[in-house]
Amino acid sequence: MKVLCIVGTRPDTIKMAPVIKKIEKDKRFEVKVLASAQHREMLDIALRDFEITPAYDLNVMRRLQSLEKLSARLLEGVGKIMSREKPDIVILQGDTTTTFISSLVAFYYRIPVAHLEAGLRTNNKYAPFPEEINRRLVTHIADIHFAPTEKAKNNLLKEGVEEEKIFVTGNTVIDALEMALKIPCQLPISPGGRYIILTIHRRENWGEPIERVAKAVSRLLEKFPDLELVFPVHKNPLIRKSIKPLLKGERVHLLEPLSFIPFVHLMQGARLILTDSGGIQEEASYLGKPLLILREVTERPEVLKAGCGILVGTDEVKILRESEKLLLNQEEYLKMARRVKIFGDGKAAERVYQALLYFIGWRKEIVEEFKPEC
Ligand code: UD1
Ligand code: UDP
């Protein structure tokens, strides 16, 4: 059985890695990885972290290329490999443009698509942009859907996906996180006092919203003289241009994107995490770190329901107010700082593997679903 796993960016590689590692062990599968390289440096870091060597690398990244140029390059590049390889199944993760275009190409070649992290929805076409529509389009093409949570499964059912094609597996990012936590590592910096982590990159936050966030964080640092900021900055030049003039000083650590293992260890030591990232929303609640989500909506409402995260958007006053509250009020802090297994329990890749066997017909028993622990 020829399996083609397609990745392109940092997060889809981190989340696909546990599945690649799992399936590779079964010698009935011939697993190949196609890297679109929609990201370059950030993809390479993730590939190195998990010791993944792609069979193909399309190298499609260009500086700040438009979505349509990226899509055109992907269509042609993925098409060439699909016609050469003719895999029996294609595995895709999440909602990136690499994932959406690869699903379309697989459809053109009538190759079945397995979709990891299926069913996440905000029901807002433009948030996150373009990911909300990317993931909806992949759902229409996919033949087997690995929903991380019950909520994601229900979203798929509402859209008419047949129940027997959906498997609730948990999110594979928690498998990756557990792997990383087991590996001791030297931190790239050692902040003197307590520190917060910031990451921001979403398209809907480019420009003024990012500047508002940077201003809020800068004011927060003024108010708390013992507080430090750790900010691994996305490679996107637009983001770098926005934040650099606003975040300065010896308590500000602007870093290059980090390897996954040190980043996870840094998150573990942080007081608070501010982010618009998808993956970090999942990781923070597992690590018991209070989370301020720099978005208007989230496709991961489980984190709000569990009380581990708050939507603060990019409003300067709100970010400052909520951060201050958590830094000053221990009771409020402890209410949010709970380690919960709402997105996964570290066994998602195993469930994905078993569900694939079931889908192919190599296993008869139905796969047991992931159940959250709050
Ligand atoms: C993409 C994904 C988004 C995901 C994010 C993870 C889409 C539409 N978006 O974001 O879902 O959350 O990745 O980070 O698929 N760049 C580099 N080096 C890198 C990476 C990026 O220089 O390693 C620069 C390039 O100029 C590139 C730009 O950043 O053009 C934006 O990269 P892109 O892949 O388009 O990022 P997003 O769409 O913002
Ligand atoms: N991450 C990392 N190094 C960093 C910052 C983040 O390895 O310097 C990891 C993080 O732990 C998470 C993933 O990258 O697993 C999130 O990627 P990103 O925020 O770029 O994308 P999203 O999850 O929003 O799609």
Side-chain angles (χ1 to χ4, degrees), residues 37-60:
Q38 175 181 331
H39 286 175
R40 185 68 276 168
E41 299 89 340
M42 287 164 56
L43 169 81
D44 291 340
I45 295 172
L47 290 171
R48 253 198 324 273
D49 282 341
F50 293 94
E51 296 173 351
I52 295 169
T53 310
Y56 301 100
D57 189 319
L58 302 177
N59 204 24
V60 299

Side-chain angles (χ1 to χ4, degrees), residues 7 29 37 52 65 82 90 95 109 120 144 157 160 169 239 253 298 303-304 312 348-349:
V7 294
F29 292 107
I52 295 169
Q65 67 188 328
M82 205 74 82
V90 169
D95 53 20
Y109 283 86
L120 273 60
I144 170 166
L157 290 173
T169 57
I239 293 163
H253 306 278
T298 177
V303 72
L304 306 179
V312 289

Side-chain angles (χ1 to χ4, degrees), residues 327-369:
L327 292 172
L328 290 171
N329 185 332
Q330 184 72 351
E331 205 181 317
E332 289 292 330
Y333 184 86
L334 291 175
K335 262 195 251 166
M336 284 180 80
R338 291 187 305 114
R339 289 169 184 268
V340 287
K341 295 185 178 175
I342 48 179
F343 291 111
D345 57 1
K347 299 187 186 80
E350 175 67 33
R351 292 192 191 93
V352 166
Y353 165 68
Q354 297 296 347
L356 263 182
L357 297 184
Y358 181 81
F359 176 74
I360 296 164
W362 293 351
R363 174 191 160 106
K364 293 281 166 281
E365 316 81 62
I366 292 173
V367 182
E368 211 176 299
E369 294 196 333

Side-chain angles (χ1 to χ4, degrees), residues 9-12 14-15 39 42 45-46 49 95-96 117 131 173 176-177 199-202 231-234 255-261 263-264 267 275-283 295 300:
T9 67
R10 168 171 69 190
D12 55 15
I14 292 171
K15 288 174 171 177
H39 286 175
M42 287 164 56
I45 295 172
D49 282 341
D95 53 20
T96 64
E117 201 182 68
E131 292 85 1
V173 82
L177 188 66
T199 82
I200 187 158
H201 72 273
R202 300 240 83 82
F231 181 4
V233 190
H234 199 281
L255 309 176
E256 285 299 315
L258 295 168
S259 267
F260 184 62
I261 297 162
F263 182 66
V264 165
M267 279 197 289
T275 191
D276 67 359
S277 161
I280 296 173
Q281 288 180 62
E282 292 148 350
E283 294 162 348
R295 299 189 186 193
R300 293 160 171 95

